[in-house]
Structures are given as structure tokens and as C-alpha cells.
Amino acid sequence: MNILVCIKQVPDMESRFKVNGTGDWYDEADLAYRMNEYDEYAVEQAVQLKEQLGNQPEITVLSIGADRVGEALKKALAMGCDKAVQVQDNDSARKDPWQIANIIAAFASDKNFDVIFTGMQSQDRGSAQVGVTVAEILGHNCASTLVGFEYADGVVTAKRELEGGVKSVVKVPVPALVTCQLGLNVPRYPTLPNIMKAKKKELQLVPVSSLLKEEAATGTAKLYPPVKSGGGIVLEGDLGDVADRLLGILKEKTTVMK
Amino acid sequence: MKALLVCEQREGKLLDTSYELVAFAERLGAEVSLVLVGKQAQAPQVAGKLYLADVDKYGEYSPELHKHIVLAAALKENPDYIIFPHSSYGWDLAPRVAATLRVGQVSEIVNIVDGQLEVSLCNGKLRRTVSPKGARAVLTVQAGAFNYAGQKSGAPQVEEIEISQGSSALQFVGYEPAEKKEVDLGRAEIIVSAGRGVGKKENVGVIADLAKAFGGELGASRPVVDAGWVGHSHQVGTTGQTVSPKLYVACGISGAIQHLAGMKKSDFIVAINKDKDAPISEAADVMVVADVLQLAPVLAEKLRAA
């Protein structure tokens, strides 16, 4: 069996984001980057599948971006992936989901991956398009938003998360692509020996120009901080004082304190 | 401008997101037609043409067949936009339709600003306007972002739709109901919710204690539930419960869009957060800038003394 995991490196979402000079993306300077949280679940599930199958399958982990994505790839290797591919693209933030999906599909098209794992969405862009679009381009079966994954005899039994706590169960024959939701599993921490081993694993560099043949299907007009509604009261200062003022407001403006 | 709205039903019930699509299309000023894999009894009660495919024949969840049904309706209507709810149904189906048509998709639209489609970025910390490049596009609309204010009393003109594709490689096995609830947040008048900002499981007790002092229930945001700090029945948001209490206190919750969608109909919202600019501040009537772990005990003490 042959497994592919697609990961993205994103800024820590607790960061303060500033709009860049051209007004079409956030300023990437001074941000701390990490593996997209959804993709950690994808990596973990791929490694668990490999373990289930007696460590026979080979797992390739792929990321698109500037050289800094090597850090995310190294983490995936330390978690148990076998080899890494960096699609070199210093301008990946300006590619739209259609182009990103086409880059991945172009890479995967001649490699006979049986199962492809992606996160359900990225934390920064959040389009939830890339995984499903890759499956569509490759003609693979696909199930999105997984909170449960089982594999037996060429069929993935997937539990998809719907709204309001409801789940649906589907069976998907391979080759299949699944997108992973938070809570699917418990992503492992790389151990020190595995971090050391990861340093020796293969990192393949592929220029984006060799894979991307598609124009963007959407474009960003403008990026900006949310417009504040301005109606809210802001309280800050001494804790006791803040608590008193808050309770005063609740007495005045709600019925719950009576 | 013409819009084809892809309505959603589950187990015989039309979901409200279908009406939110109507509200969104009204904001766009689009002429509307609808498509539904369901039964006539579930048809949205709005004017317009409804392409109806029989759910017994095509299945509750069968993305390949549903895709071809949407494409068949699109072929008849030639719409500028094909619009889905940004739900587990919509985000699964929309990219399949967009890829087949080779058109752009704009996901999770939260607003229309000066005629442009606005989406959220980085957990709501940034917004941006996105424009499809071709003549046609696929859109998905964030739950709760567009409220339908009209009467649900119109009658669509129904046209049954059939497709020749008969089978799907993906097999739908069934639904699993939500876990048994430890708490029914839908009925609570006061909800005090814990977010990732409380730091660790041991600190959830501080928030639970504040909820108790208010005489309310403990809620939580998704990361707190995923980390196993509290059970799923406490989760507020699109994948948890949608709530509308008289008072909602968000403790250490930054305000991811899925959480906001689940609680913004609360009558009065208090947010307690160290970051004054956290996205939750948009929804809050009162934004308390403080470390919630320090403020909550003080607040609980004063409530008990009152």
C-alpha cells in the first residue's frame, strides 16, 4: 500500500495579524509557524494505518511552500512518515484552492496512492476545498470531515461529523481520499529518537512550475481586519472594580440578575 | 443574475440553512431557483422553481449522484452562482461541482460588502473579499450569517429531475445520533462557556464554579471538548449546540466563526478575554479585558454575596 499525506504550515492562530503592504494577504514577518492542526490528525491517521498493516505501507508527506515548510515536514517524518516532498513555492499564499489542489493532483497522478489523507481545512484560509477537489481531479472516492477511520480489505469505513453531534457512517473503497476533522485521533508527539531518525529521511524538492498548469479561479480583492460593530462596552482595570461594573451592567440590561 | 440554491434535508426534514441561502440570494439581488434531493413535502416554502430528485432513489448521502443532480439542474437553469450551505453537506459537495465545471469556488461567505463576497480568515481575525474569475462560480454560505426574514409560506413550482448515473462507489451506511446529553444547553437561560484560553483541564472547574454562581450551565468551545476537558454535550457551535440564552458568558474564547454561529443569538453576551481584539469582541455586548482565571473567582464570590 502507498499512502500520501498533504500538510500545510500555518501561522499560530493566537498571533496578531497585520495586513501586508499590498493589502491582499497577512504580513508573514514575525509570525511563528506550525503544522496546520487538522493536518496533524491526518498524519497521525496515516501512521496508525501503516502500523495496522504491519509497517508495510510507505507514507509520503507533501507540503507546498517556502523553505520554512521543511519544519512541518520534519515533524511529520518524526511522527512516522517515511519520506517528504516539498513543492517549492515562495508564493503559495497567492495560489487559490483550485491551484493548490491541481499541484497536489499533478504530483499524485502517476504514483498510485491507495489512500490520501488531508486536513479538513486549513486554519488560516479555511476554504475546506483542497482535499475534495484533489479527489475529484484524480477520480478517487472521497469522504470529508472524518472523526472515525477504519480500514479493512480495501475499504475505508469512515465516520463523518455532521452538525449538532450527528455523525454519518460511509464505506469508501480505495483508492480514496479522506479529509480529517479535529478529534479524529490523538496526534502523537515525536520522540527524540524519532526526531533523530527523521533527519536521515529523504526530502525531495520539486519546483512548483513542474506541477502547476492551472490559472487561479478566484482572486482576493482586499484583506482587512473585521469592522468593529462599536456597540460593545469594554471593561478593564482592577479585578474587583471590573466585577462590580459588570454585575451593575447585567442588573441594568438583563433580566437574569433579578 | 441567476442563482441555483442547493437545499439540504436530513432524515426527512428540510434544514434551515436552505432558507439562509434564500436570504443570501436576496442580498445578492439574484433570481432564484432551487434544487433538493428529498421529497415534495420537504420543499422550501418560497417562490421559484424547485428541481426535486427523489431521495429514495438517489440516497440521503451519495455525493456522486447528488453532484450529477446539481449539475443537471444547473444545465437547465444556467445560473451565475451555484450556492451551497457551508455545512458538512455543502463543503463535501460544492468542490465536486466546482471541479467538474472547472469554475472557481468561494467558501464560507459571511457577508456581502459593496457587492463583494466577504470571507473570514485566521479564525475571524481578518476578513477578505474574494472574486471568482469566470462568469460562473460555486459559493458556500456560512451558517447563521444570513437570516431569512420572509414568510415561509410561498410555494415553489416543482419539476422532478432524474439522472442516468445509477450507482455510487461510496456506500452510505447510516446516521449515528448525537451522544446522550449530560446537559441541555438549548433550554438554559444562562450559559458560562470555557474556551482554550482557560489553559488546562484542571482550570475548567473555575469556569464551572462561575456558571454555578450565576445559576447557569457550563458550555464550552470545540477545542475544550476535543481535548477531553468536558463532554460533547457542553459544546456550543455549529458542530455542537446552537444556543440562545438570556446571558452568555464566553470565558477565554477567541471566537472562531463556528462558535460565533452557535451563540450569537444569545440576548446578552459577555466576553472575558486577555485579548481586547479577539474576534469574540465583535459579538460581545460587554468585553471584559482580563485573565478569566483571575476574574472568575472574584466574580463568583460577588455573585454569591449579592
Side-chain angles (χ1 to χ4, degrees):
Chain A
M1 180 182 265
N2 207 1
I3 300 171
L4 176 68
V5 193
C6 305
I7 66 170
K8 182 176 182 181
Q9 196 187 40
V10 295
D12 189 317
M13 288 301 131
E14 299 302 312
S15 313
R16 288 189 178 275
F17 290 95
K18 285 182 288 191
V19 178
N20 69 2
T22 45
D24 59 353
W25 197 240
Y26 50 78
D27 189 347
E28 297 194 347
D30 303 325
L31 290 174
Y33 283 84
R34 50 168 291 171
M35 194 193 300
N36 180 43
E37 203 172 347
Y38 297 84
D39 303 343
E40 289 184 12
Y41 292 88
V43 172
E44 175 63 32
Q45 202 59 53
V47 176
Q48 285 188 16
L49 176 59
K50 178 182 162 114
E51 289 168 345
Q52 179 199 328
L53 298 173
N55 289 321
Q56 282 303 314
E58 182 179 67
I59 307 175
T60 304
V61 56
L62 175 146
S63 191
I64 303 166
D67 286 347
R68 61 172 158 73
V69 308
E71 290 303 313
L73 288 169
K74 272 184 203 157
K75 181 174 180 184
L77 291 174
M79 286 172 76
C81 294
D82 298 295
K83 63 179 190 183
V85 176
Q86 180 200 344
V87 178
Q88 296 171 296
D89 185 4
N90 289 329
D91 207 26
S92 58
R94 280 176 190 77
K95 305 287 189 293
D96 77 341
W98 169 247
Q99 290 177 300
I100 296 291
N102 270 282
I103 293 167
I104 296 168
F107 173 81
S109 62
D110 58 354
K111 296 183 180 65
N112 297 317
F113 291 112
D114 300 283
V115 186
I116 301 177
F117 292 89
T118 73
M120 178 236 156
Q121 61 181 355
S122 64
Q123 289 173 282
D124 57 352
R125 199 189 272 266
S127 81
Q129 289 176 34
V130 171
V132 181
T133 306
V134 169
E136 198 66 27
I137 296 168
L138 292 173
H140 285 200
N141 299 316
C142 172
S144 63
T145 331
L146 264 62
V147 289
F149 177 97
E150 285 173 30
Y151 173 84
D153 304 326
V155 177
V156 173
T157 302
K159 200 183 278 187
R160 301 183 63 228
E161 183 178 62
L162 311 184
E163 287 70 27
V166 179
K167 298 175 181 78
S168 77
V169 180
V170 294
K171 286 187 182 292
V172 198
V174 300
L177 183 147
V178 295
T179 81
C180 302
Q181 171 64 296
L182 307 176
L184 170 63
N185 49 44
V186 181
R188 67 193 67 192
Y189 287 104
T191 61
L192 189 58
N194 286 340
I195 292 169
M196 299 311 286
K197 269 188 228 162
K199 288 180 196 278
K200 292 182 189 143
K201 291 181 181 175
E202 180 190 342
L203 171 66
Q204 186 190 350
L205 303 175
V206 181
V208 69
S209 58
S210 68
L211 297 172
L212 180 63
K213 309 294 173 207
E214 292 285 327
E215 295 289 321
T218 57
T220 294
K222 200 172 128 194
L223 192 104
Y224 44 92
V227 178
K228 300 279 176 198
S229 52
I233 302 163
V234 177
L235 298 179
E236 50 193 322
D238 172 74
L239 289 178
D241 180 44
V242 162
D244 286 335
R245 282 156 66 201
L246 176 59
L247 294 177
I249 292 166
L250 294 180
K251 274 184 191 137
E252 189 191 328
K253 302 209 168 176
T254 74
T255 55
V256 296
M257 303 289 289
K258 297 197 169 89
Chain B
M1 186 197 296
K2 288 173 82 175
L4 175 66
L5 312 183
V6 184
C7 303
E8 179 182 11
Q9 67 88 35
R10 189 176 301 153
E11 293 186 285
K13 193 169 172 290
L14 183 79
L15 302 190
D16 247 4
T17 46
S18 308
Y19 286 100
E20 294 178 13
L21 298 185
V22 176
F24 172 70
E26 277 176 1
R27 283 277 304 277
L28 281 176
E31 183 193 330
V32 163
S33 57
L34 312 114
V35 56
L36 172 71
V37 184
K39 291 282 181 192
Q40 185 146 0
Q42 299 143 16
Q45 295 170 335
V46 293
K49 181 173 262 186
L50 170 70
Y51 294 95
L52 184 70
D54 189 345
V55 65
D56 292 342
K57 187 169 174 187
Y58 298 109
E60 286 263 327
Y61 175 75
S62 182
E64 291 157 61
L65 300 185
H66 287 214
K67 177 182 85 173
H68 286 293
I69 288 161
V70 173
L71 290 170
L75 193 65
K76 291 191 175 222
E77 282 294 315
N78 197 23
D80 302 280
Y81 292 128
I82 303 172
I83 309 176
F84 296 80
H86 193 73
S87 62
S88 56
Y89 182 70
W91 68 59
D92 193 84
L93 199 51
R96 300 173 194 260
V97 170
T100 305
L101 292 172
R102 297 181 61 83
V103 300
Q105 179 182 332
V106 181
S107 290
E108 204 170 15
I109 296 162
V110 296
N111 201 358
I112 300 169
V113 180
D114 301 330
Q116 301 236 44
L117 305 170
E118 187 185 65
V119 304
S120 173
L121 207 70
C122 297
N123 271 347
K125 291 192 170 184
L126 292 169
R127 294 287 171 89
R128 63 183 181 133
T129 48
V130 182
S131 311
K133 290 198 165 162
R136 176 181 286 179
V138 167
L139 313 178
T140 73
V141 178
Q142 170 64 37
F146 297 88
N147 287 320
Y148 181 66
Q151 295 281 321
K152 293 179 182 173
S153 59
Q157 183 198 339
V158 175
E159 182 177 324
E160 290 192 9
I161 197 162
E162 297 205 12
I163 55 164
S164 53
Q165 290 83 356
S167 67
S168 171
L170 185 143
Q171 185 198 341
F172 174 71
V173 179
Y175 291 117
E176 240 180 48
E179 286 166 32
K180 198 170 172 292
K181 291 176 179 175
E182 296 162 38
V183 54
D184 187 358
L185 296 179
R187 299 168 80 95
E189 291 204 342
I190 301 176
I191 298 172
V192 180
S193 283
R196 205 197 293 250
V198 305
K200 54 183 178 180
K201 187 174 185 176
E202 291 69 29
N203 291 340
V204 174
V206 177
I207 310 303
D209 191 51
L210 179 61
K212 204 169 157 192
F214 264 115
E217 298 285 2
L218 176 69
S221 65
R222 176 169 197 134
V224 169
V225 174
D226 281 340
W229 299 350
V230 298
H232 183 269
S233 62
H234 293 274
Q235 187 177 319
V236 174
T238 47
T239 50
Q241 290 191 68
T242 300
V243 299
S244 50
K246 289 180 177 168
L247 173 64
Y248 190 85
V249 185
C251 300
I253 292 176
S254 68
I257 202 144
Q258 294 82 359
H259 189 80
L260 291 178
M263 51 63 82
K264 71 178 187 186
K265 286 185 181 152
S266 306
D267 290 345
F268 199 84
I269 298 169
V270 175
I272 307 172
N273 202 303
K274 282 191 274 195
D275 179 4
K276 189 157 84 176
D277 296 322
I280 191 90
S281 68
E282 270 185 89
D285 295 287
V286 178
M287 180 77 200
V288 185
V289 186
D291 181 343
V292 71
L293 295 177
Q294 289 180 8
L295 180 66
V298 177
L299 200 53
E301 196 54 47
K302 286 186 188 285
L303 280 165
R304 287 196 195 95

